[in-house]
Amino acid sequence: MATEITYEQLNVLNARYAQCIDDDRLEQWPDFFLDDCLYKITNAENHRQGMAAGIVYADSKGMLQDRVSALREANVYERQSYRHIVSMPVIGEPVQGRVSVETAFLVVRIMRGGKTDLFATGKYVDQVAQDASGALKFAERIVICDSISIDTLLAIPL
């Protein structure tokens, strides 16, 4: 890794990631990931048991772009938006140009009529790396939801 990854850099990365989703700029969401990446949403129980499949699973930036295209053009779901609150990251040791990071999150969902509900809590388990330009990107983002019950209206990325 060319430089050490700091708390400030990770906080900015997480804040911009959340803002991108919360502001419905989903076409920009895949840009937070390396081309060869993993994005998965699962629950804590399945994660503990080592189950590889997730509620959402994408193993490339292209798959993330396809997911956004499907959300915009093919999927039918009730209009909604999110508001993310993320904690300070807990940074692990760097290994082979990547650093492990865990960050707790809380997401509220705002429905078309304005009704707001607690939607998801959990943690992001990430592998973060610098791309060729030195920008921080997610090599992996595993979204581990605390609840084993996932809302069937999970359309927007967490």
Side-chain angles (χ1 to χ4, degrees), residues 89-155:
V90 177
I91 303 172
E93 293 297 319
V95 176
Q96 297 180 345
R98 293 181 177 185
V99 65
S100 299
V101 182
E102 287 192 16
T103 309
F105 70 85
L106 179 146
V107 176
V108 295
R109 179 175 61 188
I110 305 98
M111 300 306 289
R112 179 180 51 202
K115 183 176 187 265
T116 302
D117 293 309
L118 176 60
F119 184 63
T121 63
K123 65 181 177 179
Y124 297 121
V125 176
D126 301 323
Q127 292 290 318
V128 177
Q130 293 176 320
D131 68 8
S133 73
L136 288 186
K137 303 282 182 167
F138 296 110
E140 286 186 11
R141 173 152 269 196
I142 311 299
V143 182
I144 303 172
C145 296
D146 293 326
S147 175
I148 60 170
S149 174
I150 302 293
D151 194 303
T152 57
L153 198 53
L154 176 61

Side-chain angles (χ1 to χ4, degrees), residues 26 55-56 63-80 152-157:
L26 298 182
I55 299 151
V56 174
M63 287 181 75
L64 298 176
Q65 292 165 334
D66 288 346
R67 180 160 180 82
V68 172
S69 292
L71 286 170
R72 296 294 195 209
E73 300 167 19
N75 296 354
V76 177
Y77 60 95
E78 186 175 354
R79 180 84 176 130
Q80 58 188 284
T152 57
L153 198 53
L154 176 61
I156 304 170

Side-chain angles (χ1 to χ4, degrees), residues 14-88:
N14 278 318
R16 288 185 177 152
Y17 176 94
Q19 183 182 41
C20 176
I21 296 170
D22 293 352
D23 289 350
D24 193 33
R25 291 182 284 113
L26 298 182
E27 288 74 15
Q28 296 170 16
W29 171 68
D31 295 335
F32 287 91
F33 294 84
L34 296 174
D35 291 339
D36 183 20
C37 64
L38 175 64
Y39 176 79
K40 179 170 71 169
I41 300 175
T42 188
N43 65 52
E45 183 176 328
N46 288 351
H47 184 72
R48 273 191 301 274
Q49 294 177 9
M51 296 182 178
I55 299 151
V56 174
Y57 185 94
D59 62 7
S60 71
K61 185 175 179 178
M63 287 181 75
L64 298 176
Q65 292 165 334
D66 288 346
R67 180 160 180 82
V68 172
S69 292
L71 286 170
R72 296 294 195 209
E73 300 167 19
N75 296 354
V76 177
Y77 60 95
E78 186 175 354
R79 180 84 176 130
Q80 58 188 284
S81 61
Y82 290 162
R83 180 69 59 213
H84 285 73
I85 301 187
V86 295
S87 73
M88 292 284 293

